[in-house]
Every structure is written in C-alpha cells, then in structure tokens.
Amino acid sequence: MSEEASKEKRKIKSAKKMRDLMTTYYLDALSASQNNKKVAWITSGGPVEPLVAMDIIPVYPENHGAMIGSAKMGEDLCAKAEDMGYSADLCSYARSDISCAVVKGGPIGGLPKPDMLICCNNICGTVLKWYEIQARYFNVPLFIFDTPMCHTGYSRPVADYVRAQVDEYIRFLEKVTGKPFDHDRMAQVGKLSMEGQRLWQKVLNTTRHKPSPMSAFDAFFFLALIVTLRGTQVAVDFYKELIQEMEDRISEGISIVPEEKYRLLWDNLPVWYQLKWLSNTFSAHQACLVADTYTSAWCGAIQYIDPDRFLDSMAEGYTRIYLNIGVDQMAEQVIQMVDVYDVDGFVMHSNRSCKPYSFGQMDIMNIVRERTGIPVLMIEADMVDPRNFSQSQVETRIDAFMEIVKQGRDKH
Amino acid sequence: MICAGIDIGSITAKAALVRDQELVDTLVIKTGYDHVKAGERVFEQLLKKTGVGREKVCAVVATGYGRASVGFADKAMTEILCHGTGAHFIDPAIRGIVDVGGQDSKAIRLDDTGQVTDFAMNDKCAAGTGRFLEVMANALDVELAQMGEVGLQSQNPSKISSICTVFAESEVISMIARQQKREDIIAGIHDSAAARVAILARKTKLADPVMMTGGVAKNTGMRKALEKHLGFELTTGRLAQENGAIGAAVLASRLSVGS
Ligand code: SF4
C-alpha cells in the first residue's frame, strides 16, 4: 500500500461528522438571541445538565480557548490581555477569553454574548475572578457553584453544603429565565448525561487494544462533545457511532500509529498549538499516547452519580473530579491507568497556565515511578500560549525519554 | 575498527575517535554560526591530527543541539544517552552525571551497566548554565576560564538572589558599583548557579559516585560550589567537555558491531 493510501486508511472517519456537529452547535449558540434562546457561559467542569433541561445553550470559554490554541491564535490574544493589564502568569484560557470578548477575535469571531455565567470552582480558583470580570464586562448575573477541595473523602457537611447549592442554582435559573424548572425533563437529561459519560469512557477504553485504534490526540479532539453537549441525545448518538468505528478498526487491525511498539500515558491539558508536531514526534518513535488524565476527567466521577437521583448525586460527582481531589488520590488514578492501558512510560506536561493541574506533579511523578517502575518525562509548556514552549528543548527530552523507554522494554 | 562521535553544542563542537574500545583522541573547536560546517570541520581536523583516513572510520554518531545537522553521521542520538555512555566508558563505577553545558544543564542517573535510568534538564531558563556564567564573566570583565580560580580566593561570598540571568546581571552590576570584591561576587555567582544545578541532581536522586561533565566542569569554583550543595565530591577528568562526543563514538562502535 502506498504511504498516501495507508494514511487515508488510518484516518478516523467520524472526525468529519464531529466537525459538522460542532459547527452546528456554535451556529446555534451564535444565533441564540434571534431564536429567543438564552446563552450561559459555563466552566468546563460545571454542572451543565440543569441548563440543558431549561433549554439554555451552554457555551464553554475553555473549549473556545482550546479552539484559539489549535488555531494558533493564542499568542496574539494573550499578548492583547497583557496589554489590557493582565499578568502573563494568568491562565492562557482566561487571558485569551478576556481579550477575545473585547476584540471579538479568534477563529469564530468571539463567543455569543452571555445572558448569565455559571462558574464552578471544582477545576481551579482562577475561574472565580475570570467569571467575575466577564460578569462585570457583560453586565449579566453570575452564579458561583462552590465545591470544596476533597483531599480524601466526601464528608457530610461538604455533601450538605454542595447539595444546598443545587437548589440555589435551580432558583437562579428560574429567576433569570422567568420559567419554572421542569423536573421530568431534568430526569431525562440526567440519564442522557450519564449515558454519554459511560459511552465516552467506552470510547477511551478502546485504546486498551494493542495496537490502539486511536490515541490521546484523537481523544483531545473527540472530547469536545462530552464537554459541550453533555446531557443531549446528539452526544449519545455520536459516541455510539464512534465506538462502532473503533471496534471496526480493531477487528480490521487498523492502528492509529503505524507499527505501534510503545504505549504512553499523558498528563495535563494538551499543548493545543503543537498537537500535530507532538503526535508526529511520538509516532516517529513508534509510540502511541494511548490514554491521558485529562479527557478521562469527563467520565471519572461516574461512580458517584446515580441517574435515578441525578440532582442529589450530581453534587458529589461534580465535587470529586480529578482536579479537586488530593495528590495521593490523583497518583492512585494514574497508577490504575498505567495498569489498565498497559503503558511503557508516562509523559507529564508541566503547564505554565494551569496551576491546579501542575502543582503536585512532582509528587505524582515520584509516587508513580516508585510504584510502577516506568520512566516518567516532564516537559514544560503551556496549552495556548506558545511563548512558553521551546520545540528544540522538548524534542531533545522526548528523544532521550524514548531511548530510556526502549531500553526498558528491551530488558524485559 | 575505528568509530567517531561528533557533539555539536551551542558554543563548542567536539569530536572523538575510538578504536577497538580504546580512546584515540578528541578535539574541541568553536561551533560558530554554521552547525553543518562545524561538524565537518571538527571531524576533518581530528582526522588530520590523528592521521586516520576518513575511509577507515566505520560509523559516526552525532549528538548535541546540532545533532540533526551532521549530514555524514550514521545516526543521531541525544546528549543524555551519549553522556551516560561516555561516563560509563571512562569510569564504569559512575552512577550519575551532572553536565553543565553552554545552554543547558542536566542530571543523569545510570545503572550498573551504564544505562540511563532517569534524567532531568533545566527548564527554559539559562540560570545554572554555561551561558549564565559567560554573561557574568562579561559583566565582571574576567576571562571565563579564570572565573573558577578567582572565585576560590573569596573569603566572604556575596549573595545573588535573582534566578533570572538578566536580573542577576543587574544585581552583579550594582555589587560592582558598591565595590564588593570581585572574588566574592564570583563566588556568589557560582553558588547561585550551583544551587540551580543541584535541584536537577536531587530531582533525579543522584548518589555518589557522580561525574561532572561539560565545559563548565573545568571551572573549579563552580565544581566546589556544587559539591557543597550536593554534600559529596564530584569526579571530573581532563575530558569532561568531550565526554558527550566520546559516548557518541562508543555508541557508534556498538552500532557498527550490531550491523
Ligand atoms: S487554570 Fe487550569 S483549570 Fe483553571 S481555567 Fe485555566 S486551564 Fe482550566
């Protein structure tokens, strides 16, 4: 088979459909006001299901940030925010969103104007100030869903505290929309959300097969639906098709990386503006990034959620997500993934932007290394701002790391 | 069987020749602007120096930042692997390496067979690299090669608090203005750079015996400061700067045996 033909065969066909779905989603959001629909901006780990149940279109500044990063428009927008007086140390999603709202830049000319903002701090503290700034700028109401850090367990007082906010949240939505909350609809949406998350987990699990039918780089792309359309039939249907395609690839022996020999695990957000280069660099070593801690965060709390008592259990599910637990528990999850996906090495992205994700990585690195014995690589970068990335440095580190991974495998 | 290693660093280019597991000779020249030419030049000059004909060289491995620009090399390998192999070749007892080069510094851990088991490199910052020392030598108007000796005369080292090379430079300039002794400032500079490198060594859990390689190993003041931070002595040899090229040559001979 020619190289072209083999490349064509490896392409994941569902990607086109996914792009179309995302385009439709953004068009709907951008034309919301003409259709008498309300738009809510919400954080990526926020409880979106009540919005869907109220027919409010959720829009995710972080997903928009990822699009800005992939379109390589992050540098300009981040610099623009710095011109406005924001610190270069601020998360690059926040910087690019704040400046984009003003200059209407980026790949889609800015997000639709919000009617309300929903901020859940289960991912970080940055979002609190970021959403306050946007609430002032757009002059719209802001709801803060406060999820205390759960280093180990989930205590009764925390449970009561978070659960009480679910009711406040619903009252907030009723007030802003002027419509009563529909609990039956909510129950349906809850079930769809759970089903979507289960299917997403199943998509990710297809990479347990050797060779893997897809990689973390594909997961970074296909993730957008479970983030933006969680709780809808669209997401459920799409992931069913995607699983089917993966199963077909497995039975036909189509792998994403030609001649996959080494399997790696990725930690932290993707480096959006370098996905292609990173993917090619690892591929050249016959290495496939089969899993990551990031995309699995959108199905990591399934165990806490009961679809029949969705609103009650969602409080716990949204509080105990990957970034809101202790370092020991994070390391435990990583070690489990090392085992489940049978990886030969662990690549950690120390992300200048994302403090909660990057703080504690050193400890996780030591724990994982000690318990599993696999080599670990740490590279410094930033998910959106390319000024914090040095290609030649990262390349040397990856090459050296792969030399160690290969040695390790040869020994066994 | 003769094999060669070429190490193109940001400041110097090094070459080494190995014959049947014995080191023949090495050479160091300035890299200059053109990486491609630097590789050619250092290789040609070493062949001339040793009287070895180019056709006698069975395999060449290139390493260093310019490793991809050595067109005549059979293979490119990273500095990490080459430094590990070089140190093991020179002294098989070595279990760790701190390499302080022109634009980066690294710590490498080895197992008893000389294989690399872990490494750490400085992040996107010149603190704790040869470049940092070079900038400071300039500001203090001393020869880079003399810095080590001068610094060792200090009785009362100054304290440099900035990590950033640019800020540290202005700190040094203000110390000069306050007429602090040159040897004290230099000792302070060594201490500051050594503290950065020691972090890498601790990250990789280096333990005695450790070899210091790279051009900066020739700077005794820097070496002593590093020993103080690590709590044990470092070995270093005449060929510290050429260590990566030697490792590359050894790897080239394995390559050629393998094929
Ligand atoms: S700091 Fe991290 S979790 Fe918070 S918004 Fe930025 S990337 Fe997301």
Side-chain angles (χ1 to χ4, degrees):
Chain A
M1 204 187 314
S2 75
E3 203 174 305
E4 270 310 301
S6 119
K7 244 188 165 167
E8 196 49 44
K9 199 173 136 201
R10 280 177 210 289
K11 256 200 201 147
I12 299 176
K13 311 289 178 287
S14 308
K16 186 181 174 304
K17 172 113 188 242
M18 162 90 186
R19 251 179 236 116
D20 294 345
L21 289 174
M22 285 307 284
T23 308
T24 313
Y25 160 73
Y26 271 109
L27 286 177
D28 279 352
L30 287 164
S31 55
S33 61
Q34 292 147 33
N35 299 319
N36 270 327
K37 280 201 167 185
K38 294 221 181 295
V39 169
W41 286 14
I42 180 167
T43 52
S44 65
V48 68
E49 291 81 358
L51 295 178
V52 179
M54 295 284 268
D55 236 357
I56 299 168
I57 302 185
V59 166
Y60 295 80
E62 289 155 79
N63 176 254
H64 184 221
M67 284 163 56
I68 290 171
S70 306
K72 298 191 168 48
M73 298 170 110
E75 182 171 348
D76 276 1
L77 287 169
C78 287
K80 172 78 191 135
E82 288 155 35
D83 283 348
M84 290 163 68
Y86 292 95
S87 160
D89 288 323
L90 183 65
C91 162
S92 51
Y93 277 171
R95 267 180 293 153
S96 42
D97 180 61
I98 290 170
S99 64
C100 202
V102 176
V103 300
K104 297 256 167 280
I108 57 165
L111 289 177
K113 186 185 168 310
D115 298 294
M116 70 199 90
L117 301 171
I118 314 296
C119 172
C120 178
N121 60 356
N122 57 354
I123 46 170
C124 68
T126 302
V127 290
L128 289 174
K129 290 294 144 194
W130 169 8
Y131 275 60
E132 278 174 16
I133 289 163
Q134 296 298 47
R136 271 201 301 274
Y137 181 74
F138 289 107
N139 193 22
V140 291
L142 163 67
F143 185 81
I144 292 174
F145 196 92
D146 180 29
T147 50
M149 188 87 176
C150 286
H151 289 282
T152 47
Y154 190 65
S155 68
R156 189 75 234 173
V158 169
D160 292 343
Y161 173 67
V162 181
R163 179 62 188 85
Q165 291 176 72
V166 174
D167 296 329
E168 282 173 44
Y169 181 27
I170 288 169
R171 280 197 296 276
F172 170 88
L173 295 180
E174 285 178 327
K175 198 171 152 214
V176 177
T177 56
K179 282 196 300 193
F181 191 70
D182 180 344
H183 283 272
D184 294 335
R185 181 81 207 287
M186 181 64 234
Q188 278 170 6
V189 172
K191 288 207 171 73
L192 285 172
S193 166
M194 278 303 287
E195 195 180 352
Q197 294 180 57
R198 281 211 192 90
L199 290 167
W200 176 239
Q201 178 76 70
K202 220 168 151 193
V203 171
L204 297 179
N205 280 348
T206 60
T207 65
R208 291 174 66 175
H209 188 268
K210 293 179 192 171
S212 179
M214 61 175 252
S215 74
F217 294 105
D218 303 303
F220 294 152
F221 172 70
F222 289 116
L223 170 73
L225 274 198
I226 194 66
V227 176
T228 55
L229 293 171
R230 189 162 71 245
T232 67
Q233 190 66 43
V234 178
V236 167
D237 292 344
F238 177 78
Y239 287 131
K240 279 187 185 154
E241 280 175 42
L242 185 58
I243 292 167
Q244 189 55 53
E245 182 176 357
M246 290 306 139
E247 281 168 357
D248 292 347
R249 285 168 76 91
I250 289 174
S251 61
E252 287 164 39
I254 304 173
S255 63
I256 194 75
V257 168
E259 322 271 334
E260 170 194 308
K261 245 176 123 173
Y262 308 101
R263 300 163 62 81
L264 305 172
L265 177 64
W266 173 271
D267 182 49
N268 211 312
L269 276 78
V271 185
W272 290 115
Y273 48 90
Q274 286 293 352
L275 287 184
K276 192 155 179 209
W277 178 79
L278 278 169
S279 149
N280 290 342
T281 305
F282 282 111
S283 277
H285 287 288
Q286 293 174 296
C288 180
L289 259 56
V290 291
D292 69 281
T293 57
Y294 174 65
T295 55
S296 52
W298 279 269
C299 50
I302 294 180
Q303 47 176 321
Y304 306 119
I305 301 180
D306 174 357
D308 295 324
R309 291 173 41 250
F310 190 83
L311 282 185
D312 294 324
S313 56
M314 141 182 132
E316 181 168 0
Y318 276 110
T319 307
R320 302 182 81 171
I321 67 154
Y322 189 73
L323 286 184
N324 210 38
I325 55 177
V327 162
D328 291 330
Q329 291 202 341
M330 286 164 112
E332 224 34 76
Q333 286 195 21
V334 170
I335 289 166
Q336 223 176 28
M337 293 179 90
V338 169
D339 184 48
V340 166
Y341 296 98
D342 196 17
V343 298
D344 308 295
F346 183 30
V347 183
M348 303 182 89
H349 164 204
S350 169
N351 184 349
R352 184 102 188 106
S353 266
C354 189
K355 283 78 183 175
Y357 221 140
S358 307
F359 186 75
Q361 269 181 321
M362 217 41 153
D363 290 320
I364 296 175
M365 177 179 196
N366 287 333
I367 298 170
V368 170
R369 194 182 267 149
E370 210 165 275
R371 294 256 307 272
T372 67
I374 60 168
V376 186
L377 171 71
M378 180 93 76
I379 54 177
E380 284 98 16
D382 183 285
M383 72 234 170
V384 164
D385 190 344
R387 293 170 296 175
N388 287 317
F389 180 84
S390 155
Q391 186 166 315
S392 72
Q393 279 200 348
V394 172
E395 187 169 19
T396 301
R397 282 162 176 74
I398 292 176
D399 288 351
F401 172 71
M402 286 312 301
E403 284 165 355
I404 298 175
V405 169
K406 286 171 197 169
Q407 276 177 4
R409 271 278 293 274
D410 291 349
K411 262 195 221 162
H412 292 135
Chain B
M1 184 184 67
I2 302 178
C3 290
I6 314 281
D7 176 0
I8 312 288
S10 58
I11 301 173
T12 54
K14 286 81 64 173
L17 281 184
V18 167
R19 180 192 285 123
D20 304 329
Q21 294 299 310
E22 291 287 333
L23 183 65
V24 180
D25 209 346
T26 60
L27 189 72
V28 183
I29 64 167
K30 286 255 174 244
T31 303
Y33 179 72
D34 191 336
H35 280 184
V36 180
K37 281 217 186 94
E40 267 299 328
R41 266 194 298 134
V42 74
F43 188 42
E44 279 302 328
Q45 288 178 21
L46 179 61
L47 291 175
K48 209 155 141 206
K49 183 178 168 202
T50 52
V52 172
R54 193 166 181 149
E55 70 291 346
K56 290 270 171 3
V57 179
C58 305
V60 181
V61 163
T63 187
Y65 263 90
R67 63 185 181 280
S69 52
V70 183
F72 59 89
D74 297 284
K75 203 168 174 186
M77 290 178 177
T78 66
E79 304 93 285
I80 315 281
L81 189 60
C82 291
H83 273 282
T85 310
H88 185 76
F89 173 79
I90 286 171
D91 180 357
I94 292 297
R95 289 293 173 274
I97 299 162
V98 281
D99 171 64
V100 185
Q103 69 168 357
D104 63 45
S105 44
K106 39 190 160 313
I108 305 165
R109 199 175 66 218
L110 301 178
D111 67 8
D112 51 2
T113 63
Q115 290 206 337
V116 176
T117 53
D118 194 14
F119 70 94
M121 292 168 90
N122 63 307
D123 48 29
K124 292 170 293 302
C125 168
T129 68
R131 189 67 86 190
F132 177 80
L133 297 176
E134 204 178 286
V135 169
M136 298 309 154
N138 251 326
L140 284 158
D141 199 19
V142 292
E143 285 294 324
L144 189 58
Q146 248 91 67
M147 252 183 125
E149 289 308 316
V150 178
L152 284 177
Q153 289 155 19
S154 163
Q155 299 292 329
N156 184 22
S158 312
K159 180 107 193 84
I160 314 273
S161 47
S162 308
I163 290 170
C164 164
T165 306
V166 178
F167 290 165
E169 188 184 9
S170 37
E171 221 178 315
V172 163
I173 289 168
S174 70
M175 285 174 177
I176 299 171
R178 275 183 273 134
Q179 293 183 321
Q180 292 195 11
K181 286 195 190 136
R182 189 189 303 227
E183 59 264 31
D184 290 346
I185 303 178
I186 291 177
I189 289 165
H190 288 154
D191 190 66
S192 151
R196 300 292 298 168
V197 180
I199 293 173
L200 299 177
R202 279 195 291 272
K203 257 191 204 172
T204 27
K205 304 198 166 60
L206 291 197
D208 205 17
V210 173
M211 184 186 275
M212 182 168 178
T213 64
V216 178
K218 286 192 282 195
N219 176 334
T220 343
M222 176 72 183
R223 200 182 78 225
K224 293 265 181 256
L226 199 48
E227 287 174 346
K228 196 188 91 203
H229 280 278
L230 293 177
F232 53 78
E233 282 183 18
L234 296 166
T235 69
T236 182
R238 185 173 60 78
L239 297 171
Q241 195 174 10
E242 293 94 319
N243 186 61
I246 296 171
V250 173
L251 287 166
S253 46
R254 285 190 202 151
L255 209 65
S256 131
V257 170
S259 60

